[in-house]
C-alpha cells in the first residue's frame, strides 16, 4: 500500500484553511492525525490532490474551561486527553474512555475531532459525548462559530452535519449536574469496538434522580436510549432490582438497533448491550 501523490498545505489559521478549501474545491480535504484519511487514500477508497493539515491552526488546540464547560480543541489527540490534568480533574471518565481507544500508535496522533468528523459507526467518543450532552463547535474561516448538539452532528455512518468547507473547532462538555457520575464500557475483539455503552447516573438520597444511557458501535449511529433511562429513573441506586436493570438493558438494545457486520451478529451485539448497560450503571453508581 503506497500513498498516491498529493500537495500538502499547512495553514496557520482557519481563514487560511478555508481559503485553501475554496481554492481547490472537491480536490481538497482537511485532515488532522491522518489515521483514517491516509488509510483511505492508501486503499484507493478516496483520492485528493490537496491535503490541508489542520494541526497548525491554533484555535483547534488545547484543553480549557469556558463558562463552566470543558472545551477540547478538535486537534487534541486521544493521548493528550487521556493525560490532561484538567480532563482528569473535571471528567475522569473521559480520560479513562480515551485510554481504551485504539492502540497507543493511533492514540498518539489520532484526534478527537477526527474521530467525530469521520463518524465511523464504531466510535467510543461519539457514544460517550452523547451521555454528557456535548456540543460540537464548527465554523468556516471569516464566519462566526456554530454550535450543534453531538446528537445532531453525527447523522449516520461516515456522515455528519458539518457544512461545506466547515471545520470542527472544538467539543464543549457542560459541567455535570451535582451528584452525577459517568461510566463507559466497551467490548472489542477486532481493532474497533463491537459495542460501546456510556451511562450517567445522578443520585440523591439513595435514589436515581437522573439516568442517561447512550449506546454505540452496534448500529448505524450512536443513540440515547430514552426508554432505558425511564426504566432507571426513580430506582434505588445501590439496591436496584436485577429485573429493572435487565429491563433497561433490553430497552437500550432495542434503541440501538444493532446490525449484523464483521464485528458480530445483531443478536450478539444486543446481548453485549444488555450486559454493558448493567455494568456501566453499577460502575457509575459506585
Ligand atoms: C487501528 C485503529 C483502531 C481504532 N480503534 C478505535 C477504537 O477502539 N475506538 C474508537 O472510537 N476509534 C478507534 N479508531 C478510530 C480513531 O479514533 C480515529 O482514527 C482517529 O481519532 C481519527 O482522528 P484523526 O485526527 O487521525 O482523523 P483524520 O484521519 O485526520 O481525519 C478523519 C476524517 O475527519 C476529517 N477531519 C478531521 N479533523 C477535522 C476537523 N477538525 N474538521 C473537519 N474535518 C475534519 C477528515 O477530512 C477525514 O475525513 C481506530 C482507528 C484505527 C486506525
Amino acid at each position: 500500500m503506497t500513498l498516491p501523490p498529493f500537495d500538502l498545505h499547512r495553514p496557520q489559521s482557519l481563514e487560511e484553511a478555508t481559503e485553501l478549501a475554496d481554492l481547490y474545491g472537491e480536490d481538497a480535504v482537511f485532515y488532522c492525525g491522518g489515521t483514517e484519511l491516509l488509510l483511505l487514500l492508501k486503499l484507493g477508497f478516496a483520492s485528493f490532490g490537496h491535503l490541508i493539515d489542520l494541526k497548525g491552526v491554533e484555535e483547534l488546540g488545547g484543553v480549557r474551561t469556558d463558562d463552566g464547560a470543558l472545551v477540547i480543541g478538535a486537534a487534541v489527540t486521544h493521548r493528550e486527553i487521556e493525560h490532561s490534568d484538567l480532563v482528569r480533574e473535571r471528567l475522569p471518565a473521559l480520560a479513562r474512555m480515551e485510554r481504551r481507544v485504539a492502540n497507543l500508535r493511533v492514540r498518539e496522533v489520532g484526534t478527537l475531532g477526527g474521530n467525530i468528523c469521520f463518524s465511523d459507526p464504531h466510535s467510543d467518543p461519539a457514544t460517550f459525548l452523547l451521555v454528557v450532552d456535548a456540543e460540537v463547535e464548527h465554523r468556516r474561516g471569516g464566519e462566526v462559530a456554530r454550535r450543534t448538539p453531538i446528537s445532531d452532528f453525527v447523522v449516520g455512518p461516515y456522515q455528519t452535519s458539518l457544512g461545506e468547507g466547515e471545520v470542527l473547532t472544538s467539543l464543549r462538555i457542560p459541567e455535570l449536574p451535582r451528584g452525577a457520575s459517568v461510566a463507559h464500557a466497551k467490548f472489542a475483539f477486532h481493532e474497533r469496538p463491537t459495542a460501546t455503552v456510556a451511562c450517567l447516573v445522578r443520585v440523591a438520597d439513595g435514589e436515581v434522580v437522573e439516568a442517561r444511557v447512550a449506546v454505540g458501535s452496534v448500529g448505524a449511529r450512536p443513540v440515547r436510549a430514552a426508554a432505558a433511562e425511564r426504566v432507571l429513573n426513580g430506582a434505588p441506586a445501590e439496591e436496584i432490582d436485577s429485573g429493572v436493570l435487565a429491563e433497561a438493558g433490553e430497552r437500550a438494545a432495542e434503541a440501538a438497533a444493532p446490525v449484523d457486520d464483521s464485528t458480530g451478529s445483531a443478536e450478539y451485539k444486543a446481548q453485549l448491550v444488555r450486559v454493558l448497560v448493567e455494568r456501566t450503571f453499577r460502575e457509575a453508581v459506585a
Side-chain angles (χ1 to χ4, degrees), residues 31 54 87 97 129 194 231:
Y31 86 103
L54 296 171
V87 173
M97 181 276 290
L129 292 171
T194 304
V231 170

Side-chain angles (χ1 to χ4, degrees), residues 29-40 54 60 74-75 78 100-103 106 109-118 120 122-126 162 166-169 186 188 191-193:
V29 67
F30 295 128
Y31 86 103
C32 255
T35 59
E36 302 288 18
L37 184 74
L38 298 187
L39 201 58
L40 290 185
L54 296 171
L60 270 59
H78 298 295
R100 299 186 195 125
V101 167
N103 54 49
V106 171
V109 290
T111 63
L112 182 59
N115 184 296
I116 299 303
C117 286
F118 194 59
D120 186 307
H122 300 271
S123 165
D124 291 302
L162 203 60
E166 271 191 324
V167 167
L168 191 165
T169 52
K186 72 196 271 184
E191 280 167 338
R192 317 271 169 147

Side-chain angles (χ1 to χ4, degrees), residues 5-273:
F6 53 79
D7 288 342
L8 184 59
H9 305 272
R10 295 201 154 119
Q12 299 298 302
S13 70
L14 203 51
E15 281 61 33
E16 215 187 313
T18 301
E19 271 173 35
L20 287 163
D22 287 346
L23 181 63
Y24 297 111
E26 289 189 353
D27 200 26
V29 67
F30 295 128
Y31 86 103
C32 255
T35 59
E36 302 288 18
L37 184 74
L38 298 187
L39 201 58
L40 290 185
L41 297 182
K42 280 184 187 172
L43 291 168
F45 291 162
S47 159
F48 297 96
H50 298 270
L51 264 57
I52 306 171
D53 180 353
L54 296 171
K55 289 190 289 292
V57 177
E58 204 181 325
E59 76 178 83
L60 270 59
V63 179
R64 61 195 168 86
T65 53
D66 175 43
D67 205 13
L70 179 65
V71 181
I72 302 176
V76 176
T77 65
H78 298 295
R79 188 108 167 109
E80 285 169 331
I81 299 171
E82 177 191 334
H83 288 277
S84 156
D85 288 337
L86 192 55
V87 173
R88 287 176 169 192
E89 182 200 316
R90 289 283 304 256
L91 192 52
L94 174 62
R96 286 196 293 275
M97 181 276 290
E98 287 288 5
R99 192 180 163 73
R100 299 186 195 125
V101 167
N103 54 49
L104 187 55
R105 213 158 49 116
V106 171
R107 286 201 299 279
E108 193 69 50
V109 290
T111 63
L112 182 59
N115 184 296
I116 299 303
C117 286
F118 194 59
S119 193
D120 186 307
H122 300 271
S123 165
D124 291 302
T127 310
F128 185 97
L129 292 171
L130 266 181
V131 94
V132 291
D133 282 343
E135 285 185 314
V136 179
E137 197 158 274
H138 42 106
R139 77 173 183 99
R140 277 175 60 87
E143 293 180 6
V144 288
R146 296 196 293 142
R147 282 191 200 161
T148 306
I150 186 82
S151 52
D152 295 337
F153 188 81
V154 175
V155 293
Y158 313 106
Q159 273 185 304
T160 66
S161 61
L162 203 60
E164 181 88 21
E166 271 191 324
V167 167
L168 191 165
T169 52
S170 63
L171 280 305
R172 295 179 68 90
I173 304 175
E175 205 166 356
L176 293 191
R178 185 182 284 272
S181 178
V182 183
H184 154 270
K186 72 196 271 184
F187 186 84
F189 41 6
H190 298 309
E191 280 167 338
R192 317 271 169 147
T194 304
T196 307
V197 173
C199 191
L200 177 146
V201 182
R202 184 158 63 89
V203 176
D205 300 325
E207 188 178 282
V208 177
V209 289
E210 183 180 7
R212 300 182 202 163
V213 179
V215 186
S217 304
V218 298
R221 67 181 192 123
V223 292
R224 279 278 290 275
E229 296 174 354
R230 282 195 292 275
V231 170
L232 295 170
N233 278 325
E238 300 272 358
E239 284 151 26
I240 189 163
D241 188 271
S242 59
V244 172
L245 275 179
E247 173 76 11
E250 198 58 49
R251 298 285 85 82
E254 281 166 15
V259 294
D260 296 329
D261 68 12
S262 60
T263 66
S265 69
E267 180 42 41
Y268 178 65
K269 291 180 186 178
Q271 178 58 14
L272 288 175
V273 171

